[in-house]
Amino acid sequence: MRKTQSPQTIVLDFSSPNIAKPMHVGHIRSTLLGSCLSRLHRLIGNKVISDNHIGDWGTQFGKLLLGWKKHLDEASLKQDPIGEMERLYKLVNAATEEDEAVLEAARAELVKLQAGDAENLEIWRQMVKLSQSQFDTLYSRLGISFDYTLGESFYNDNLKGVVEDLKTKAIARESEGAYVVFFDNIPELASNPAIIQKRDGAFNYATTDLATLAYRVENWKPDQILYVTDGRQQLHFKQVFTIFNRWKGNAKVKLEHIWFGTILGGDGKPFKTRSGEVIKLSDLLDEAEERALAVVSEKNPDLPEDTRKNIARVVGIGAVKYADLLPSRQSDYQFNWDKMLAFNGNTAPYLLYAYARIRSIFRKSQEEFSYSFEPDSIEENQLLFTAPQELTLAKHLFSFGIILEQVAEDSRPNILCNYLYDLAGLFASFYENCPVLKASEPEKLSRLTLCHLTAKVLRMGLETLGLETLEEM
RNA sequence: GCGCCCGUAGCUCAGUUGGAUAGAGCAUCUGCCUUCUAAGCAGAGGGUCUUGCGUUCAAAUCGCAACGGGCGUACCA
């Protein structure tokens, strides 16, 4: 595998959770896909700037502020900040539906916040801080980090200028009291104008995204910006990209919306709890680890508890990640615990097992056979293909680089998943048919080399997908 | 209405820069553990690739149309 000859700077926009709300299943595809693409591009030699565009500004803060001031429960805020903020929001939201005065009060809080009121800003900062620490806990559990976390609020001061600029350049014009961009020359968008300033003077997400885009282009000078979001936002990004190109026609940046489908429950409808609530990401990961622990304990009860728990963590989290990256990105997929934690089929446990089996061979080679294998001394010409399985495996190994390029080109990690599944299958076949440690030289060295290369590729591939590997399971 | 996506084995899905007998897992059936982890391997059965027309030496794949489903579509993001 070679690094790319012409490294590109790529901005990756993904995850983007909202302040004062728990991260839930709706965030996992963006988060996992985005972080996978981020690792992949770094691996093949591109420069990646990952930016978490968190939802830290917007109309919901009027209700939140009102709730915070009137109904805050300090104790539960300490115990479960997100839960408490969520409770406050729901409480006020329900009250606004019955009482117009409450709605007015919430609006007033929002106006104060936007005008820079010191008290409201301070509360807002606390809400952001509390939320961010919850996000960090989850990101660390998932092994994900960002280069930047510049939320919507970061661009507040630029929004007015964006609209002014678009007005003076005659890209936007007044319509029904709002400022709007029309796309009459583009048949696809002709009946879908984009509002950049609402009738009440407020800005919306198109405006924020334009300001964000301008900032990124100006400060990071990227060759590409990839937005990893839900497929339902296709129209929005078409509009924003089109406006941006009219606005900054000279910017040579490739803008791409990497969209994905919905996660469905077993009933084929969007994945929810039985009572219709969204499923919290933390609960989902807990359940994954619990289920994995039950299986590991059943299969391998003799391992110490700590070891089993660690295996369960890697397998459980890995299973969720793998199940999310395996389906073709644009299609909806059904979330299914039994399937993702199965040992048969294209699953994380199957791949991790293949890796652990190889590692076991090398442990044995040292412990029982006192055989030292030096990975540094590998030469391709020491490979012997006496059994057909060896040749098939070797051929597959050498196509790894091409696969990575293809995955990067199309932003489709499922290609890598399928490649690794094939690899693990070919290895399993080799493993059954070709004894390694009991072979004699020079076959033994050749087979150990194949094992080593398989482990290396499996590990690189799995790590690119975001999975940890295990020495034993 | 318009736009985007989808329709492949009983089920869940791969296969989308056109290429040989269309693949996997589950489910059903048959073998293989005193041999490097059987969380595995070897094998069997199961498909008019929604339908029709077209392009091509060649179509699950490209084009058009129909039927069926999901989503989006001016002041949420």
Side-chain angles (χ1 to χ4, degrees), chain A residues 355-365 431 437 471:
Chain A
Y355 181 81
R357 273 174 136 185
I358 302 174
R359 298 303 303 154
S360 172
I361 290 176
F362 284 101
R363 269 200 307 280
K364 274 230 159 82
S365 81
Y431 182 91
L437 296 174
E471 292 299 305

Side-chain angles (χ1 to χ4, degrees), chain A residues 328-370:
Chain A
S328 174
R329 157 163 72 75
Q330 284 148 336
S331 56
D332 299 343
Y333 78 92
Q334 289 200 9
F335 193 92
N336 185 323
W337 284 118
D338 293 334
K339 243 173 139 168
M340 73 177 74
L341 286 165
F343 317 109
N344 304 322
N346 198 346
T347 66
Y350 180 80
L351 296 179
L352 293 171
Y353 176 62
Y355 181 81
R357 273 174 136 185
I358 302 174
R359 298 303 303 154
S360 172
I361 290 176
F362 284 101
R363 269 200 307 280
K364 274 230 159 82
S365 81
Q366 299 231 320
E367 288 165 13
E368 288 181 24
F369 293 75
S370 303

Side-chain angles (χ1 to χ4, degrees), chain A residues 4 6-11 41 45-48 222-224 254:
Chain A
T4 173
S6 49
Q8 296 224 310
T9 300
I10 300 173
V11 171
H41 280 289
N46 289 319
K47 185 189 173 192
V48 172
D223 300 294
Q224 286 186 59
K254 186 180 166 197

Side-chain angles (χ1 to χ4, degrees), chain A residues 193-445:
Chain A
I195 289 176
I196 56 164
Q197 185 169 21
K198 301 195 284 187
R199 201 176 320 173
D200 64 4
F203 307 108
N204 62 8
Y205 72 135
T207 332
T208 313
D209 275 354
L210 285 165
T212 305
L213 190 38
Y215 177 89
R216 288 170 174 168
V217 169
E218 194 177 319
N219 289 277
W220 297 333
K221 303 192 169 32
D223 300 294
Q224 286 186 59
I225 305 180
L226 306 182
Y227 290 82
V228 186
T229 81
D230 197 280
R232 285 172 293 195
Q233 293 182 42
Q234 285 176 89
L235 176 61
H236 166 69
F237 282 106
K238 271 181 198 159
Q239 292 174 330
V240 168
F241 295 167
T242 305
I243 297 172
F244 186 77
N245 285 325
R246 285 186 193 173
W247 182 30
K248 312 264 182 186
N250 54 346
K252 293 260 188 298
V253 57
K254 186 180 166 197
L255 303 173
E256 206 174 339
H257 181 206
I258 309 299
W259 62 271
F260 52 83
T262 310
I263 303 181
L264 307 173
D267 55 0
K269 291 181 182 158
F271 195 32
K272 299 264 172 72
T273 63
R274 204 164 281 185
S275 55
E277 300 272 305
V278 291
I279 294 165
K280 290 179 191 168
L281 188 47
S282 55
D283 292 344
L284 190 84
L285 298 182
D286 288 346
E287 185 166 356
E289 291 190 32
E290 281 164 23
R291 284 174 180 264
L293 182 61
V295 180
V296 174
S297 300
E298 187 204 335
K299 297 280 180 191
N300 237 332
D302 298 335
L303 291 172
E305 193 184 351
D306 284 357
T307 310
R308 275 188 285 120
K309 279 196 169 160
N310 188 52
I311 292 171
R313 180 183 64 78
V314 174
V315 171
I317 306 280
V320 170
K321 289 182 176 182
Y322 193 80
D324 193 67
L325 295 170
L326 174 64
S328 174
R329 157 163 72 75
Q330 284 148 336
S331 56
D332 299 343
Y333 78 92
Q334 289 200 9
F335 193 92
N336 185 323
W337 284 118
D338 293 334
K339 243 173 139 168
M340 73 177 74
L341 286 165
F343 317 109
N344 304 322
N346 198 346
T347 66
Y350 180 80
L351 296 179
L352 293 171
Y353 176 62
Y355 181 81
R357 273 174 136 185
I358 302 174
R359 298 303 303 154
S360 172
I361 290 176
F362 284 101
R363 269 200 307 280
K364 274 230 159 82
S365 81
Q366 299 231 320
E367 288 165 13
E368 288 181 24
F369 293 75
S370 303
Y371 186 97
S372 154
F373 175 79
E374 302 297 337
D376 293 340
S377 66
I378 285 181
E379 286 174 34
E380 284 174 26
N381 61 13
Q382 75 195 20
L383 290 176
L384 301 169
F385 306 115
T386 47
Q389 289 86 356
E390 297 175 283
L391 183 60
T392 321
L393 178 59
K395 278 184 183 166
H396 196 70
L397 281 168
F398 291 122
S399 60
F400 184 51
I402 295 167
I403 293 294
L404 291 180
E405 283 169 25
Q406 199 187 339
V407 175
E409 178 63 32
D410 302 340
S411 298
R412 292 165 54 118
N414 72 309
I415 295 171
L416 178 55
C417 294
N418 289 325
Y419 169 84
L420 293 175
Y421 177 56
D422 289 341
L423 177 62
L426 292 174
F427 177 78
S429 187
F430 159 82
Y431 182 91
E432 296 289 330
N433 290 286
C434 307
V436 178
L437 296 174
K438 285 174 183 161
S440 49
E441 298 291 7
E443 230 164 36
K444 184 176 186 175
L445 179 61

Side-chain angles (χ1 to χ4, degrees), chain A residues 151-169:
Chain A
E152 291 169 358
S153 67
F154 182 78
Y155 303 95
N156 278 342
D157 296 340
N158 306 353
L159 300 181
K160 204 176 166 189
V162 170
V163 173
E164 285 305 318
D165 210 18
L166 291 172
K167 278 196 235 173
T168 49
K169 289 185 173 160

Side-chain angles (χ1 to χ4, degrees), chain A residues 130-183:
Chain A
L130 290 167
S131 301
Q132 187 63 51
S133 90
Q134 302 283 301
F135 299 156
D136 290 343
T137 306
L138 277 165
Y139 289 138
S140 119
R141 230 175 141 180
L142 292 169
I144 289 170
S145 61
F146 293 88
D147 301 312
Y148 294 92
T149 299
L150 304 180
E152 291 169 358
S153 67
F154 182 78
Y155 303 95
N156 278 342
D157 296 340
N158 306 353
L159 300 181
K160 204 176 166 189
V162 170
V163 173
E164 285 305 318
D165 210 18
L166 291 172
K167 278 196 235 173
T168 49
K169 289 185 173 160
I171 296 167
R173 62 179 165 84
E174 192 270 331
S175 170
E176 297 175 30
Y179 279 92
V180 183
V181 178
F182 289 91
F183 308 96

